[in-house]
Amino acid sequence: MSSGKADRYLTQPRDSNTLTQTCSSNIQKITQNTAKIKSMVNQLGTEQDTSELRDGLQQIQHFTNQLAKETNKHLKDLGFVSPSSAPSEQRQQKIQKDRLMNDFSAALNNFQAVQRQAAQKEKESVARARAGSRLSAEDGVSEEQLVSFDNQDDWAPTITQTEEAITEEDLVLIKERETNIRQLESDILDVNQIFKDLAVMIHDQGEMIGRTADPPTRVLLEQLC
């Protein structure tokens, strides 16, 4: 961790209200970004598909992933904040955290769905690029055979040049999209880990409430867990 990030973390307020507001704001941003990502993903493979679109998609997707990890950390921090001494405020804090976790879980579900959709479209794009490269190379070979079949000395090097030119042109595109796929898959794994963390927090929250709940409520919580 860089000193700048460390200083930023140390100066972040850790009171319940501030953390709750930050989490709520982040969840709203994740939801808004997910809608933008979905719109951009729907343009992949169409006439609107450009390198600028793909760059923008990668940036907003990765930023949203970082936002999700930050929100996950803040929710964990909420569990270490000293509870209010007033029972009514304690109940309110528990209700707020429960609502935040539910909202966060729903936002993550939607976000991961568009992540998977983006990864699938990128894979399809790479497959098309590879297939197109092979087909173009084959067309080049066939064409050169018709033109210079009688001249074997000229024919072979011409084919090699054609294949090399096509491969070099497509290789950059394929590598870029494969890099995007690896980043998407890494970010999807990050979200999977956040879901696991959420499950633990929800379970712990249920146990904490269950210890102070009346017997019928405890039975319901045990069934849900």
Side-chain angles (χ1 to χ4, degrees), residues 86-99:
S88 60
E89 291 185 10
Q90 287 183 20
R91 287 194 296 271
Q92 184 62 28
Q93 288 173 353
K94 292 173 184 177
I95 291 172
Q96 287 178 337
K97 185 176 180 182
D98 187 56
R99 184 183 298 117

Side-chain angles (χ1 to χ4, degrees), residues 14-17 19-20 23 71-84 93-94 96-98 100-101 200-202 204-205 208 211:
R14 293 176 57 85
D15 64 280
S16 178
N17 288 336
L19 285 170
T20 298
C23 287
T71 306
N72 184 47
K73 179 190 173 302
H74 289 328
L75 282 173
K76 288 180 180 179
D77 289 343
L78 271 174
F80 294 100
V81 174
S82 300
S84 171
Q93 288 173 353
K94 292 173 184 177
Q96 287 178 337
K97 185 176 180 182
D98 187 56
L100 282 174
M101 289 190 293
V200 172
M201 284 189 282
I202 290 172
D204 291 345
Q205 179 86 342
M208 181 172 61
R211 284 194 295 268

Side-chain angles (χ1 to χ4, degrees), residues 22 26-27 72 76 94 109 134 145 152 156 184 192 206:
T22 301
N26 285 359
I27 292 168
N72 184 47
K76 288 180 180 179
K94 292 173 184 177
N109 269 316
R134 287 194 297 270
Q145 284 178 330
Q152 295 294 329
L184 275 167
N192 284 341

Side-chain angles (χ1 to χ4, degrees), residues 33-46 49 54 57 61 108-126 128 177 180-181 184-185 187-188:
N33 287 355
T34 297
K36 293 178 182 177
I37 292 169
K38 185 175 182 179
S39 175
M40 296 171 80
V41 168
N42 288 337
Q43 295 179 57
L44 296 179
T46 69
D49 190 349
R54 289 178 179 272
L57 175 58
Q61 191 281 140
L108 282 180
N109 269 316
N110 293 331
F111 177 48
Q112 191 175 66
V114 295
Q115 278 184 313
R116 295 184 186 280
Q117 185 183 0
Q120 182 59 35
K121 286 209 171 187
E122 288 284 11
K123 289 177 182 178
E124 292 172 356
S125 176
V126 169
R128 284 195 301 269
R177 294 184 180 177
N180 290 346
I181 291 170
L184 275 167
E185 289 177 339
D187 289 345
I188 289 171

Side-chain angles (χ1 to χ4, degrees), residues 27-186:
I27 292 168
Q28 185 177 9
K29 290 177 185 176
I30 291 170
T31 300
Q32 292 171 345
N33 287 355
T34 297
K36 293 178 182 177
I37 292 169
K38 185 175 182 179
S39 175
M40 296 171 80
V41 168
N42 288 337
Q43 295 179 57
L44 296 179
T46 69
E47 294 180 354
Q48 287 76 38
D49 190 349
T50 62
S51 59
E52 289 79 9
L53 173 71
R54 289 178 179 272
D55 289 343
L57 175 58
Q58 184 183 15
Q59 290 174 10
I60 189 173
Q61 191 281 140
H62 189 58
F63 170 77
T64 306
N65 191 76
Q66 295 300 115
L67 200 59
K69 290 197 287 187
E70 178 184 305
T71 306
N72 184 47
K73 179 190 173 302
H74 289 328
L75 282 173
K76 288 180 180 179
D77 289 343
L78 271 174
F80 294 100
V81 174
S82 300
S84 171
S85 57
S88 60
E89 291 185 10
Q90 287 183 20
R91 287 194 296 271
Q92 184 62 28
Q93 288 173 353
K94 292 173 184 177
I95 291 172
Q96 287 178 337
K97 185 176 180 182
D98 187 56
R99 184 183 298 117
L100 282 174
M101 289 190 293
N102 287 335
D103 291 346
F104 188 38
S105 180
L108 282 180
N109 269 316
N110 293 331
F111 177 48
Q112 191 175 66
V114 295
Q115 278 184 313
R116 295 184 186 280
Q117 185 183 0
Q120 182 59 35
K121 286 209 171 187
E122 288 284 11
K123 289 177 182 178
E124 292 172 356
S125 176
V126 169
R128 284 195 301 269
R130 290 185 181 278
S133 178
R134 287 194 297 270
L135 288 173
S136 297
E138 290 170 1
D139 290 344
V141 171
S142 176
E143 208 173 295
E144 291 300 330
Q145 284 178 330
L146 292 174
V147 173
S148 56
F149 182 79
D150 293 334
N151 190 343
Q152 295 294 329
D153 293 335
D154 295 337
W155 177 56
T158 302
I159 296 174
T160 302
Q161 292 169 3
T162 302
E163 290 178 334
E164 287 179 352
I166 294 171
T167 302
E168 185 178 356
E169 181 181 351
D170 292 339
L171 188 60
V172 174
L173 174 64
I174 291 172
K175 283 185 175 180
E176 285 179 354
R177 294 184 180 177
E178 286 180 340
T179 299
N180 290 346
I181 291 170
R182 285 192 293 271
Q183 183 63 62
L184 275 167
E185 289 177 339
S186 175

